[in-house]
Amino acid sequence: MKKKMKVVFIIIGIIGVLIMGLLIMATILGKEVTVKTDKQLEGVAEDVESVLYYASLAPNSHNSQMWKIQLNTKAGELFVGVDESRVLEVVDSAKREAYISLGCYLTNLQTAFEAYGYDIKLDVYDKPDENGFISKITYKKTRDKVDYTALKTIEKRHTDKSVYKDTPITQDVADAITLDNSICYLDGSDNFAYLKKGTLDAIMVQSANQAYRDELAEWMRFSDGEVLEKQDGISAEQMGLKGMVKTFYYWTTSHESAKGDTFAKQGINTAKNQLEGCKGFLAVTGDNTIKGWVNSGLDSEKIWLKCVEQNISVQPMSAMLETEPFAQSIQKDLGTDKPVQMILRIGYVNEYGKNRNIRRDLKEYISVER
Ligand SMILES: Cc1cc2nc3c(=O)[nH]c(=O)nc-3n(C[C@H](O)[C@H](O)[C@H](O)COP(=O)(O)O)c2cc1C
């Protein structure tokens, strides 16, 4: 009997040690991945390389980084357009979000150029030119002093998918972050309740659509190796997963399983929790034209950088704008002057965090003419 007990204890001990070992390994493997984006562009001044890197830290749908840039160093000119191969065909067949993302890129570009002492002139065309460019920027160095605070704000901005704190957003803070073409809906108002319910309903419609699931799965990343190789898409870190939770997520999920029912159900549950803790939404409005979308992107990123200054965390929740019948009726239902182009969930968190810096090497999408 005693011998039997001893054997049982030994087995329990071995299992315990194995589990501990597994947990320690999972924690070690779960450390944050660091993408070292190559900023070098032949014949380009170092501060302009930095500006271009800061611009790329802009928000963009699915982190597909669908921008293409042409730089003419002699003339001090830069052209920005959509890389068609990176457009999200299912959720964004009209390229609305692609152009909003370019607008976000342009705000970061402008902010970073100015931070490095450049004056810039930004033109947004009505429609893309024959080379597919929608915007031209001319830049000229006029000052030597660098505004590090502005650069830090860009580095800090990130999409925070966590559940926010219960702390209400005061009207004063709402006023400070509501810039041109935006409206803040705080918890307690009818329009807040409408966005909260509509967003979850739209996410449920999307999640039932296999084409949507397939596209999302394509842009999700399921190992550090994949993140380092592709330098784009949505990593575990961007989902708010760290340590052993990140490792188990990578061990148990793949591009194939992410297309299935279980993953879709988890996505709906995550959204439910995100919306349950939500204290406010910001809606950004603008014209339904290509230029209007770029302008909405410019506005959205200015608002987001303001949110960073106010320690307000942000997550775009685009499902209503990507899905019928919600997209058709949202402007009328909210009673806004112009169509709604972005919906941002806003709130407070304990630790603000920073951008995960998963961005491609500059030479991958920037061509330089000298
Ligand atoms: C037009 C647009 C739509 C977006 N829609 C969503 C969304 O519905 N849900 C979400 O979690 N993030 C959304 N995002 C955030 C992107 O996923 C995020 O910007 C990208 O993954 C890069 O991460 P970062 O913002 O932390 O740099 C959206 C961003 C843009 C510009």
Side-chain angles (χ1 to χ4, degrees):
M1 188 65 192
K2 262 190 189 163
K3 206 172 166 195
K4 248 190 188 171
M5 286 285 281
K6 210 170 157 190
V7 173
V8 170
F9 277 127
I10 290 171
I11 290 172
I12 291 173
I14 291 172
I15 292 173
V17 169
L18 285 177
I19 291 175
M20 278 295 286
L22 190 75
L23 294 179
I24 291 169
M25 188 167 89
T27 308
I28 293 169
L29 288 176
K31 76 172 187 346
E32 185 174 341
V33 68
T34 308
V35 171
K36 289 203 175 73
T37 301
D38 181 358
K39 297 168 197 148
Q40 281 201 328
L41 292 169
E42 224 186 293
V44 177
E46 212 178 309
D47 57 358
V48 175
E49 287 176 341
S50 294
V51 166
L52 290 163
Y53 176 66
Y54 278 107
S56 78
L57 293 181
N60 62 95
S61 15
H62 288 15
N63 198 22
S64 66
Q65 302 165 42
M66 67 300 270
W67 34 67
K68 62 168 185 185
I69 320 288
Q70 192 185 303
L71 177 63
N72 187 333
T73 49
K74 234 191 213 144
E77 285 173 353
L78 213 145
F79 299 88
V80 178
V82 168
D83 174 350
E84 300 285 336
S85 69
R86 290 181 165 261
V87 168
L88 309 173
E89 293 295 343
V90 179
V91 285
D92 192 31
S93 56
K95 294 183 232 167
R96 190 187 66 84
E97 293 191 8
Y99 281 106
I100 290 176
S101 303
L102 285 200
C104 296
Y105 180 96
L106 289 171
T107 285
N108 269 19
L109 189 75
Q110 176 164 17
T111 309
F113 260 132
E114 286 168 356
Y116 275 100
Y118 285 80
D119 282 346
I120 75 150
K121 185 172 174 295
L122 169 72
D123 284 323
V124 178
Y125 314 145
D126 286 330
K127 54 181 177 45
D129 68 11
E130 65 280 8
N131 298 314
F133 295 115
I134 189 68
S135 177
K136 175 184 172 181
I137 297 96
T138 43
Y139 59 92
K140 197 172 188 307
K141 185 126 185 161
T142 57
R143 305 172 300 282
D144 274 333
K145 209 166 160 250
V146 179
D147 177 358
Y148 290 104
T149 312
L151 298 175
K152 281 255 145 33
T153 307
I154 293 178
E155 281 175 359
K156 224 173 140 185
R157 188 219 60 81
H158 63 288
T159 300
D160 191 331
K161 295 183 201 268
S162 70
V163 175
Y164 301 157
K165 279 175 21 172
D166 213 20
T167 318
I169 295 161
T170 63
Q171 193 55 53
D172 280 354
V173 172
D175 291 344
I177 55 177
T178 311
L179 305 184
D180 289 346
N181 304 313
S182 65
I183 306 152
C184 189
Y185 301 110
L186 295 180
D187 190 8
S189 68
D190 287 350
N191 281 340
F192 172 87
Y194 165 82
L195 287 172
K196 187 170 164 176
K197 182 175 182 318
T199 299
L200 187 59
D201 289 348
I203 286 173
M204 280 162 63
V205 172
Q206 274 188 333
S207 301
N209 175 349
Q210 194 57 51
Y212 164 84
R213 288 184 191 182
D214 293 352
E215 185 174 72
L216 180 62
E218 190 195 322
W219 288 101
M220 304 287 293
R221 299 292 167 249
F222 296 108
S223 69
D224 284 350
E226 197 183 13
V227 173
L228 292 169
E229 186 205 325
K230 298 198 168 138
Q231 302 182 310
D232 61 12
I234 300 167
S235 70
E237 286 84 356
Q238 285 166 293
M239 313 259 297
L241 309 177
K242 48 185 171 186
M244 65 174 96
V245 181
K246 169 187 159 178
T247 306
F248 283 115
Y249 167 71
Y250 278 166
W251 278 349
T252 56
T253 333
S254 66
H255 284 283
E256 218 29 59
S257 70
K259 296 174 185 171
D261 289 342
T262 311
F263 195 78
K265 265 191 207 136
Q266 279 165 358
I268 293 171
N269 276 336
T270 304
K272 260 188 202 153
N273 292 331
Q274 289 164 340
L275 290 162
E276 218 29 73
C278 179
K279 291 283 150 209
F281 291 105
L282 266 167
V284 183
T285 63
D287 293 330
N288 254 340
T289 59
I290 293 182
K291 189 174 185 171
W293 296 333
V294 175
N295 283 332
S296 288
L298 281 158
D299 290 338
S300 298
E301 179 64 345
K302 282 179 195 152
I303 289 166
W304 202 330
L305 294 175
K306 255 286 166 258
C307 288
V308 175
E309 288 168 12
Q310 293 284 333
N311 267 317
I312 296 272
S313 294
V314 176
Q315 180 194 15
M317 295 196 104
S318 307
M320 284 184 87
L321 306 172
E322 296 168 346
T323 320
E324 296 304 348
F326 313 93
Q328 272 290 325
S329 61
I330 187 165
Q331 183 187 358
K332 192 168 121 296
D333 293 343
L334 287 176
T336 54
D337 295 352
K338 288 182 180 178
V340 179
Q341 302 296 355
M342 281 289 267
I343 298 170
L344 308 175
R345 175 176 73 102
I346 52 172
Y348 292 100
V349 294
N350 282 331
E351 265 180 58
Y352 197 86
K354 58 176 189 54
N355 200 282
R356 303 297 176 183
N357 298 349
I358 297 168
R359 293 300 190 268
R360 286 184 297 150
D361 296 342
L362 299 191
K363 60 178 173 303
E364 291 293 317
Y365 56 90
I366 301 178
S367 60
V368 184
E369 279 178 19
R370 272 162 274 148

